[in-house]
Amino acid sequence: MCCDRNMKIFLIFPALWTFVQSAHILGVFQMPSFSHQCVFQPIWKELSLLGHQVTVITPNPLKDPTLVNLTEIDVSKANYQIMQKHGFQFFMAKEQPVHLKIQKIFELNYELANTVLSDKRFIEVYNNSGVKFDLIIAQTYISPILYAVAAKLQVPFVGVASMGGWIGSHYALGNPNPPSLYSEMFLPYHGRMNFSERFRSTLYYLWSRYYLNFEALPKCDQIARKYLGNDIPYIQDIEKNMSLLLLTTNPILYEPRPNVPTVISMEQMHIKPVKPLPKDLKQFLDNAKEGVVYFSLGSNVKSINIPEKLRKVLIEAFAELPYKVLWKFEADDLPGKPENVLIGKWIPQQDVLAHPNVKVFVTQCGLQSVEEAVARGVPMVGMPFIADQTRNIQRLSEEGAAVGLEHTTLTKEEFKNAIFEVVNNPKYKQNVKRLGEIWVDHPLPSLNRTIWWIEYVIRHKGTKHLRSPTADVSWFEYLLIDVILVLLTIVSLALFILYVAIKFILRMIFGGRKLKQN
C-alpha cells in the first residue's frame, strides 16, 4: 500500500512540474543598489534552477556560469553612473521635505528607464527576439514606467519590491490605504498617529494623489510610449493590471493591515547560510575577546558620505571604547583612525554578524541590514538617514531590540552610552532572538512561497480572478468627494429652505401686526 502511494506521488509530481517548467520569464530590475538587488537575485536564480528560461536586465548580475537557463543583460555601468550623478546627499539631508525627495526619486527613475529601454540588447529582447514570454517580473520602486514592457509584450507581470509598498502602488491595486491609519513608508510615522501626524499624513496623501495624476504619471507614460509605441494602454491602467505585488515586509516593522489578495509578503529573501570568513578578518574577530562593535551604513548611505562633524564624533567615541571596532569605510584610508578600529571597503556582513564576538551592530537601519542582524541575533544601535530607516528604528526600539540615535545632533557621550546600553543589557539580545523566531515562522520558507506565487501567475495567465474592484475606484470616489458634495448640497439646500421659510413666517407675523397697528 505504501509503495503504491509513493508510486502515485512519483507519477503525479512530474506532471505538475512539466506544467510550469518551460516558462519564459523576463526580469526588469533597474535600481543600481546592491541592497535592492540582493533581494531579487535569489528569485531569478531559483526560477532558472527550476527549469524556467530566465532573461534579466539588471545592474547587479550574478555572473554564475552554472546557471545555464539564465541570460543576464548587465547595465551596471550606465545605471550606477546615473546614481552617482544624483548622489545620496540630497536624500540624507533631513531638512529636505519628503515631497521633494519623492520628486527627486521620480527624476532618478526617469533617467534609469530611459537608459534601460534604450539599451540595444534590451531592445532586441522586447522588439525583435521572437521569444514569447509568459511572465515579466519588474522591480517596484515608485515609478511604473518599466511595467509598460509587459503591455508591449502582452503578458502578465509581477511587481517585486525590496521594501514595503509605496503609496502609489497601494492606489493602483486598490489596497486600503486611509492616511489616518497607515503611514506612507517615506514618512516617519508608525502605529496609531496623533493629530499632528494624521494631519501631515493627510496632506501628503492629497499631494501624492495630485502629483501622481497630473505630473508623474503623464511623464512616465510619455517615456514608455517613446520606446514602446503608442499602442500600449495609459501607464496608470497598466499598473492597475499588475498580477501580483511582492513586498519585503514583516509583522514587526510593518503594522498589520488588510491587503487585497494580490499583495504578498516576503521576508529575509537574501539571507544565506553562514560562510567562512577571510583569514585576516576571522583573526581580528577571534582575537577580540572583549567584543566587537560592527559599524556599517549600508550600500546607499555609505560612511564616506557622512558629514565631517559626525565622522569626528564617531572616531572620538570609538577611540574610547573598550571594544574592537570593525568599520565598513569606502576608502583606503580613514584620517584619525583609532588603534582599535579596522576598516574595510567591503565586508561580508552576514558572516561577520554571525561571529559570536560581535556584540552590537551600529547601522543606518536599512531593511536588508535589519533583516541580517535579526537573522544572526545581533542587537542594534540605529542611526537612520533616509526612506524607511526612521520607522525601522522606531519599531526596533519599541520592541527592545535596539537603541535609536539622531545623527544630526549626536554627541560622543550619547553614542558611547548607546553602545554600552546595548552591549551590557541582555534584554536587547533576547528581544532580537524573539523577533527572529517570529519573522521565520511560516508554513513555507519565504523563497519557496515567492516562487509558488510567481508560478501561480504563470499557470493561470494572470490573476484577474483575484483583482480587487477597488482598483477601479477613482480617487474622487475613494475619498467620497462626490458623496460629500451631494450631502453638502442637500444640507445647504435644506438650510436655505429653512431660512426662507422662517423669514416668510416672521414676515407674516410681524407684517400682520404692523397692518393692525396702522
Side-chain angles (χ1 to χ4, degrees):
M1 184 66 118
C2 181
C3 290
D4 290 344
R5 182 173 175 272
N6 288 340
M7 181 60 72
K8 287 179 181 178
I9 293 174
F10 181 76
L11 291 173
I12 291 170
F13 184 77
L16 292 173
W17 175 251
T18 304
F19 190 62
V20 293
Q21 77 173 21
S22 58
H24 287 268
I25 300 171
L26 175 61
V28 185
F29 304 97
Q30 74 279 7
M31 189 64 184
S33 167
F34 181 73
S35 63
H36 289 257
Q37 300 303 323
C38 69
V39 176
F40 311 137
Q41 288 174 342
I43 298 175
W44 75 67
K45 178 179 179 179
E46 186 67 13
L47 287 169
S48 71
L49 290 172
L50 288 172
H52 299 296
Q53 300 295 322
V54 182
T55 302
V56 172
I57 183 163
T58 172
N60 290 89
L62 289 168
K63 297 182 180 179
D64 185 347
T66 65
L67 300 173
V68 294
N69 292 335
L70 176 63
T71 301
E72 293 175 315
I73 301 174
D74 184 357
V75 290
S76 56
K77 184 177 180 181
N79 287 31
Y80 273 100
Q81 283 177 348
I82 292 172
M83 176 64 80
Q84 189 174 10
K85 183 182 77 172
H86 283 265
F88 255 81
Q89 281 68 27
F90 180 88
F91 301 106
M92 289 165 58
K94 294 202 171 186
E95 65 273 12
Q96 295 291 349
V98 65
H99 72 278
L100 292 183
K101 293 182 179 181
I102 296 299
Q103 292 174 333
K104 185 79 171 175
I105 294 173
F106 264 102
E107 290 169 11
L108 170 64
N109 274 282
Y110 298 152
E111 287 197 51
L112 291 173
N114 271 303
T115 300
V116 168
L117 290 171
S118 63
D119 187 283
K120 292 181 180 179
R121 297 162 297 173
F122 191 44
I123 291 174
E124 283 295 316
V125 171
Y126 67 73
N127 260 353
N128 307 315
S129 69
V131 175
K132 173 61 178 172
F133 287 100
D134 300 287
L135 180 74
I136 288 176
I137 303 174
Q139 180 178 2
T140 296
Y141 189 65
I142 293 188
S143 166
I145 298 173
L146 294 170
Y147 300 163
V149 177
K152 167 77 174 178
L153 299 177
Q154 298 182 346
V155 293
F157 76 99
V158 170
V160 59
S162 60
M163 56 182 73
W166 184 57
I167 197 167
S169 301
H170 291 300
Y171 295 158
L173 293 180
N175 215 32
N177 199 64
S180 59
L181 297 178
Y182 306 114
S183 173
E184 212 278 305
M185 72 175 184
F186 288 98
L187 295 176
Y189 312 137
H190 184 87
R192 187 168 181 176
M193 293 180 275
N194 58 35
F195 175 79
S196 174
E197 290 170 341
R198 282 185 287 114
F199 184 77
R200 294 180 184 184
S201 179
T202 302
L203 289 180
Y204 178 83
Y205 180 94
L206 295 172
W207 171 83
S208 62
R209 283 283 193 178
Y210 166 82
Y211 179 69
L212 271 173
N213 283 286
F214 298 105
E215 294 189 40
L217 289 178
K219 177 69 173 178
C220 291
D221 187 72
Q222 180 185 358
I223 295 171
R225 291 176 185 278
K226 175 182 175 182
Y227 297 99
L228 303 172
N230 289 318
D231 295 334
I232 59 174
Y234 184 60
I235 194 71
Q236 188 175 38
D237 297 323
I238 295 173
E239 186 176 19
K240 286 181 178 181
N241 284 317
M242 187 188 302
S243 292
L244 281 182
L245 177 59
L246 299 167
L247 300 178
T248 306
T249 55
N250 57 74
I252 305 301
L253 301 183
Y254 293 84
E255 58 268 293
R257 61 182 297 166
N259 286 318
V260 296
T262 50
V263 175
I264 309 297
S265 177
M266 312 182 295
E267 73 286 319
Q268 297 189 352
M269 288 289 290
H270 70 297
I271 302 300
K272 300 175 182 177
V274 180
K275 294 181 291 188
L277 289 164
K279 188 176 179 180
D280 57 340
L281 196 52
K282 183 178 185 304
Q283 186 176 4
F284 176 81
L285 296 174
D286 287 345
N287 293 337
K289 303 303 181 185
E290 66 276 32
V292 175
V293 175
Y294 173 54
F295 180 74
S296 171
L297 296 180
S299 60
N300 290 326
V301 176
K302 297 182 180 179
S303 296
I304 198 171
N305 291 331
I306 62 176
E308 189 63 35
K309 178 184 175 183
L310 176 59
R311 188 184 304 176
K312 184 179 178 183
V313 169
L314 297 174
I315 289 173
E316 290 178 355
F318 285 147
E320 296 179 12
L321 290 177
Y323 316 114
K324 291 283 196 301
V325 177
L326 178 60
W327 187 342
K328 180 181 175 287
F329 190 78
E330 300 80 12
D332 294 321
D333 183 50
L334 172 61
K337 181 180 76 68
E339 298 248 339
N340 62 332
V341 173
L342 175 67
I343 64 171
K345 288 184 179 179
W346 179 87
I347 291 173
Q349 185 162 288
Q350 295 190 36
D351 305 320
V352 164
L353 290 171
H355 197 283
N357 286 344
V358 175
K359 304 300 181 184
V360 60
F361 178 21
V362 182
T363 170
Q364 88 288 9
C365 278
L367 180 56
Q368 280 66 52
S369 290
V370 170
E371 286 188 327
E372 291 172 12
V374 171
R376 303 309 191 215
V378 180
M380 288 155 276
V381 169
M383 194 183 299
F385 283 82
I386 59 174
D388 59 341
Q389 295 170 6
T390 299
R391 284 205 331 166
N392 292 346
I393 188 56
Q394 285 177 351
R395 284 294 300 129
L396 291 168
S397 299
E398 290 168 9
E399 292 288 342
V403 169
L405 298 172
E406 174 51 60
H407 71 84
T408 58
T409 58
L410 185 65
T411 65
K412 179 180 70 174
E413 292 305 317
E414 284 177 332
F415 188 51
K416 286 169 57 181
N417 290 340
I419 290 175
F420 286 136
E421 168 67 14
V422 173
V423 172
N424 296 322
N425 191 333
K427 79 167 188 177
Y428 295 97
K429 181 84 170 176
Q430 293 164 4
N431 285 325
V432 166
K433 288 185 175 180
R434 173 177 58 85
L435 297 184
E437 292 170 358
I438 292 173
W439 260 348
V440 297
D441 195 0
H442 291 282
L444 281 175
S446 187
L447 181 58
N448 300 56
R449 190 167 70 251
T450 300
I451 297 299
W452 186 89
W453 274 107
I454 289 172
E455 292 188 331
Y456 180 92
V457 175
I458 297 171
R459 287 195 296 272
H460 300 289
K461 303 186 187 319
T463 57
K464 288 184 179 179
H465 54 289
L466 297 179
R467 180 185 171 92
S468 170
T470 51
D472 299 313
V473 174
S474 70
W475 67 272
F476 199 83
E477 296 168 299
Y478 183 83
L479 294 176
L480 296 175
I481 302 295
D482 50 351
V483 174
I484 292 171
L485 288 175
V486 170
L487 288 174
L488 287 175
T489 302
I490 292 172
V491 171
S492 301
L493 185 61
L495 289 173
F496 177 74
I497 292 172
L498 181 62
Y499 167 76
V500 171
I502 292 172
K503 189 176 180 181
F504 177 76
I505 292 169
L506 290 174
R507 187 176 293 170
M508 290 291 292
I509 294 172
F510 293 106
R513 286 182 183 177
K514 224 174 191 183
L515 285 172
K516 285 181 182 180
Q517 287 172 0
N518 290 337

